[in-house]
Amino acid sequence: MSTTQKVAVVTGGNRGLGFETSRQLAKKGYQVILTSRDEAKGQAAAEKLQAEGLDVIFHLLDVTNHESSKQLAEFIRQQFGKVDVLVNNAGIYIDDQAGENSIFDAKIDILEQTIETNVYGALQVTQALIPLMNENNYGRIVNVSSGMGQLHDMDGGSPAYRISKTALNALTRIFASELKGTNILVNSVCPGWVKTDLGGAKAPRTPEQGVDTIVWLATAADGSATGGFFRDRQPINW
Ligand SMILES: NC(=O)c1ccc[n+]([C@@H]2O[C@H](COP(=O)([O-])OP(=O)(O)OC[C@H]3O[C@@H](n4cnc5c(N)ncnc54)[C@H](OP(=O)(O)O)[C@@H]3O)[C@@H](O)[C@H]2O)c1
């Protein structure tokens, strides 16, 4: 790795949007640390991208495990001494698995599990990596949110997922506010409805289309937007 090569961490990188984000960032010359909570799946995903000639390595990360985030930060400090990009992509959507989709039947354990991954997960990975960004006064943090978390036209159904993405957007605003005046930019993105295990086969977008705005924000120039919510490279309502 050259000293000028940027280092990017992607959570939930073994499949779907995280995998494609890893590929696209590596294609742009980034050293990508593809993380996954499953060693075998993460390793296989990284090897697939390495076979494409890309600078991708695997590191274990379960975003719900505080120790796991700390170990990742320690590994990065020793191996690279910096991190430039964090894509908080790992997420779950388990409202439907619970056999309910209405807030009238919302189960607290489904809410807890969803918020633990989609909100507290992103929070603690960010907390673990921000010191490394601060030391360099450079950082691009992209929180992969969803239009389903928009308060502006909040609909019914899937309450756990919706609430988690609204809360993730709040994290974006709070971090961006506390990082004002630094070169660490924090934004939320809605990738649109994308064909992945989570999005399902009927989704109109390919993963490559879905990650376009994620990669755009992850590679944004100094002085670009912070504390925003974007889809298709355009600001959208909270
Ligand atoms: N697809 C869409 O239409 C769509 C639309 C809007 C927003 N999004 C958001 O985009 C992000 C990626 O979604 P996707 O469609 O790519 O979903 P996906 O194919 O289901 O992939 C989700 C990824 O998150 C990982 N993950 C879940 N819990 C984790 C944990 N505790 N620690 C580490 N990784 C964990 C999964 O790992 P395992 O393989 O181990 O389960 C998997 O790699 C999510 O935040 C989702 O909410 C997706």
Side-chain angles (χ1 to χ4, degrees):
M1 197 196 97
S2 77
T3 48
T4 53
Q5 188 179 25
K6 286 198 161 47
V7 177
V9 170
V10 180
T11 70
N14 56 288
R15 61 189 166 106
L17 290 166
F19 179 72
E20 190 59 30
T21 298
S22 300
R23 173 187 272 141
Q24 297 301 333
L25 284 174
K27 276 189 171 177
K28 286 188 178 294
Y30 285 62
Q31 165 67 64
V32 173
I33 306 170
L34 180 159
T35 68
S36 165
R37 60 178 162 178
D38 182 298
E39 179 144 19
K41 286 187 202 164
Q43 192 66 55
E47 280 169 15
K48 192 166 173 197
L49 296 179
Q50 286 159 8
E52 294 175 18
L54 300 172
D55 258 349
V56 178
I57 57 163
F58 162 72
H59 199 277
L60 197 66
L61 176 66
D62 181 338
V63 301
T64 63
N65 179 328
H66 183 57
E67 276 307 305
S68 186
S69 290
K70 279 177 38 186
Q71 282 164 10
L72 173 69
E74 196 42 47
F75 165 79
I76 295 172
R77 181 176 292 286
Q78 286 181 9
Q79 201 72 19
F80 302 109
K82 65 164 189 169
V83 63
D84 300 289
V85 171
L86 167 61
V87 180
N88 283 312
N89 163 81
I92 58 171
Y93 181 178
I94 56 172
D95 290 83
D96 291 334
Q97 281 174 20
E100 46 85 7
N101 212 2
S102 158
I103 194 149
F104 297 119
D105 316 306
K107 307 273 186 307
I108 296 300
D109 69 313
I110 296 295
L111 277 152
E112 282 174 348
Q113 278 182 60
T114 305
I115 289 169
E116 195 186 359
T117 302
N118 297 3
V119 186
Y120 303 152
L123 172 62
Q124 64 188 356
V125 178
T126 305
Q127 286 174 329
L129 297 189
I130 270 195
L132 280 156
M133 291 181 170
N134 261 327
E135 285 168 23
N136 239 357
N137 193 31
Y138 185 96
R140 303 290 181 261
I141 300 171
V142 184
N143 291 328
V144 183
S145 183
S146 165
M148 288 177 75
Q150 277 177 296
L151 287 171
H152 180 73
D153 54 359
M154 184 63 78
D155 220 337
S158 305
Y161 187 73
R162 286 183 185 282
I163 290 167
S164 76
K165 293 301 188 183
T166 307
L168 178 64
N169 285 346
L171 286 189
T172 296
R173 296 290 298 175
I174 297 166
F175 270 114
S177 173
E178 293 202 14
L179 288 163
K180 217 168 185 170
T182 73
N183 190 21
I184 302 176
L185 311 178
V186 190
N187 291 287
S188 279
V189 58
C190 168
W193 187 20
V194 188
K195 225 182 282 302
T196 62
D197 294 339
L198 188 152
K202 287 188 189 145
R205 292 188 179 202
T206 63
E208 196 172 342
Q209 292 167 328
V211 305
D212 175 74
T213 303
I214 299 175
V215 172
W216 177 69
L217 288 168
T219 58
D222 292 355
S224 297
T226 187
F229 190 15
F230 295 87
R231 182 192 291 131
D232 295 333
R233 302 190 181 201
Q234 298 298 323
I236 58 172
N237 287 317
W238 294 105

